[in-house]
Amino acid sequence: MAEDKSIYCASVTAPVNIAVVKYWGKRDPKLNLPTNSSLSVTLSQSDLRTHTTASCSSTYPPPDTLILNGQSEELNNRTLTCLKLLRSMRAELESSDATLPKLSQHPLKVVTANNFPTAAGLASSAAGFAALVYAIAQLYQLPHSPTELSRIARQGSGSACRSLFGGYVAWEGGEKADGSDSLAVQVAPPSHWPGMRALILVVSAAKKGVSSTSGMQQTCTTSALFQHRVKDVVPRVMGQMKEAVEKKDFDKFAEITMRDSNNFHACCLDTTPPIFYMNDVSRAAVRMVEWINEKAGRRVAAYTFDAGPNCVVYYEEGSGREVAGTFKGLLGGAAGWDGERGRAVEAAEEMAGLKEDKALASVVETLTAGVNRVILTGVGEGPMKVDEHLVDEKGEAVVS
Ligand SMILES: Nc1ncnc2c1ncn2[C@@H]1O[C@H](COP(=O)(O)OP(=O)(O)OP(=O)(O)O)[C@@H](O)[C@H]1O
Ligand SMILES: C[C@@](O)(CCOP(=O)(O)OP(=O)(O)O)CC(=O)O
């Protein structure tokens, strides 16, 4: 039989997710099993997305390759693990159906691009690994569900397992030593609570100092406060957060989100040596959100911070004027308001009364000087298959 020289390709886009109950800590670093469950909101791919093409062909020279944002990347152990697991799933299909092309034997070429800064605390690893796993699963025509694929994405980057779903997503930490029960599940689709919005205040788009992977290990081994988080705090709030999502109870959602972010950053501070992800600008954003909630007389906004200084503010569409409007009134000069979502936000002049609030003068000054870009987005769908390939018919990477 003639050798199959076809170029096989599948392309997908995958979303970022931002946790409201944070994953921090590994009970098994090798299998990337977490010390606690977590819960996140998947953000819309209209605004933030990874686009990935997985391709394979007998004509590609080995080994497997990855091109990220136009640059050739060395395949790290996490990526190699994902490729190995997916390839063995394909090999199993091929062994049960002899008519299938032997794609598992071809070198893989993965070409990917993020439309936002990489490794800057904007969850690029989450979108990146979800896209990689989903794209290869499409290429290999694997029949596995997103939950089954989440087991693989988790081994690329823990938070990536949650990006295999849209809407409101839990990563159930599981208890088994082999990790078979450490999986992502959808708590609710985006359509359940479609009015959820997120305003990201980009404080720094630079690469961060302490990576999540090493930071969480330091916390695990040195912080006593962290033991309390894992044993008492997270198990309690996971149930409460699921209930808040089910009931679309923004007040409860906001309370838990802010408390959990603070508890996570307190654990970082309790680490030896201490880890500081939030900075003065982040703290000014916290003060601003507190101010907005106080003025509104209820919680209309919730801040949360990952392993970096950027602030994500969740709010409901109906509170857009009070929340996004107030920030636009203050930060109108920052980049990012010119998109469709940003133009629709009306700067809330009356809230600008805060400019006369002397106690807040330094908060306003720090924020306006420190936030150079905003991203407006909302809850969105999980990974999707797309027709636009980043590899051409000759198997060459297309640089966009
Ligand atoms: N599109 C992608 N495809 C494959 N891997 C990616 C992709 N984007 C990012 N990554 C991987 O993720 C790494 C960045 O992860 P890191 O955790 O340092 O930052 P982050 O995910 O942007 O921030 P955080 O996890 O704190 O939100 C990159 O160095 C790369 O290895
Ligand atoms: C603060 C977080 O964003 C931490 C994310 O950690 P990663 O998923 O990046 O860690 P690794 O599993 O080591 O790749 C909280 C969260 O997303 O839940």
Side-chain angles (χ1 to χ4, degrees):
M1 201 168 65
E3 196 193 351
D4 175 11
K5 292 191 172 174
S6 320
I7 308 280
Y8 294 90
C9 259
S11 296
V12 307
T13 60
V16 160
N17 72 78
I18 297 292
V20 289
V21 177
K22 306 286 185 197
Y23 149 53
W24 195 252
K26 300 176 199 287
R27 64 183 161 92
D28 181 334
K30 202 158 186 292
L31 289 174
N32 214 19
L33 300 175
T35 47
N36 57 266
S37 297
S38 54
L39 199 147
S40 57
V41 179
T42 294
L43 301 183
S44 172
Q45 296 178 60
S46 322
D47 309 297
L48 298 171
R49 68 189 164 274
T50 293
H51 182 185
T52 298
T53 297
S55 169
C56 69
S57 171
S58 64
T59 65
Y60 292 166
D64 299 333
T65 53
L66 172 72
I67 296 176
L68 167 59
N69 297 333
Q71 305 281 332
S72 196
E73 283 260 313
E74 208 172 310
L75 296 181
N76 57 29
N77 284 338
R78 292 152 165 238
T79 311
L80 289 170
T81 301
C82 293
L83 300 189
K84 192 171 147 201
L85 291 168
L86 291 158
R87 194 169 250 138
S88 74
M89 285 153 97
R90 171 69 192 186
E92 217 170 284
L93 282 187
E94 289 165 6
S95 66
S96 61
D97 181 350
T99 64
L100 290 176
K102 303 278 182 283
L103 303 190
S104 66
Q105 295 172 11
H106 299 339
L108 277 162
K109 189 177 279 190
V110 178
V111 183
T112 178
N114 302 326
N115 77 336
F116 58 93
T118 300
L122 290 174
S124 69
S125 60
F129 277 103
L132 176 116
V133 169
Y134 198 70
I136 297 174
Q138 295 291 326
L139 175 75
Y140 286 169
Q141 301 196 323
L142 300 179
H144 303 75
S145 68
T147 287
E148 288 169 302
L149 295 177
S150 79
R151 200 162 44 82
I152 299 170
R154 181 197 84 223
Q155 297 178 63
S157 181
S159 50
C161 73
R162 299 185 309 241
S163 273
L164 280 166
F165 289 96
Y168 303 83
V169 187
W171 173 11
E172 304 293 359
E175 279 162 14
K176 293 190 184 159
D178 67 358
S180 54
D181 57 350
S182 189
L183 302 162
V185 290
Q186 190 177 56
V187 173
S191 57
H192 166 72
W193 197 358
M196 183 64 76
R197 295 284 176 270
L199 167 67
I200 307 176
L201 307 176
V202 184
V203 173
S204 161
K207 276 197 173 221
K208 61 191 173 219
V210 182
S211 75
S212 311
T213 307
S214 79
M216 67 175 80
Q217 281 317 88
Q218 292 166 34
T219 304
C220 265
T221 52
T222 63
S223 166
L225 184 58
F226 177 70
Q227 299 309 322
H228 169 60
R229 170 172 175 78
V230 169
K231 287 200 187 85
D232 303 324
V233 178
V234 176
R236 182 166 35 87
V237 299
M238 273 300 285
Q240 293 173 354
M241 185 52 104
K242 283 181 190 166
E243 198 182 319
V245 169
E246 265 154 40
K247 293 182 173 158
K248 293 177 253 181
D249 179 349
F250 189 82
D251 183 73
K252 195 75 195 160
F253 173 92
E255 183 194 346
I256 302 172
T257 297
M258 295 188 281
R259 271 177 177 274
D260 192 74
S261 176
N262 292 334
N263 182 270
F264 152 50
H265 287 278
C267 290
C268 291
L269 196 60
D270 191 46
T271 302
T272 306
I275 307 171
F276 307 102
Y277 285 125
M278 292 170 68
N279 63 17
D280 286 349
V281 186
S282 318
R283 285 183 283 276
V286 170
R287 294 281 307 278
M288 229 16 260
V289 168
E290 297 287 356
W291 188 91
I292 290 170
N293 286 342
E294 212 176 287
K295 286 280 152 183
R298 63 199 166 95
R299 293 187 194 93
V300 289
Y303 56 78
T304 185
F305 299 82
D306 276 352
N310 300 326
C311 182
V312 177
V313 182
Y314 283 115
Y315 60 97
E316 287 185 287
E317 191 182 15
S319 312
R321 190 172 156 75
E322 286 151 295
V323 184
T326 301
F327 279 105
K328 191 173 183 180
L330 278 181
L331 305 170
W337 296 106
D338 49 350
E340 200 181 318
R341 287 190 199 259
R343 283 197 309 272
V345 175
E346 212 180 309
E349 292 303 334
E350 75 273 22
M351 295 291 263
L354 71 94
K355 286 182 181 157
E356 283 83 60
D357 189 335
K358 293 228 164 47
L360 274 181
S362 68
V363 168
V364 169
E365 200 181 313
T366 307
L367 258 189
T368 43
V371 175
N372 45 34
R373 177 179 172 197
V374 300
I375 299 167
L376 284 133
T377 183
V379 62
E381 303 289 343
M384 4 197 164
K385 207 167 180 232
V386 294
D387 293 332
E388 195 194 331
H389 297 313
L390 299 175
V391 167
D392 66 18
E393 60 284 352
K394 292 193 190 114
E396 299 295 331
V398 180
V399 184
S400 54

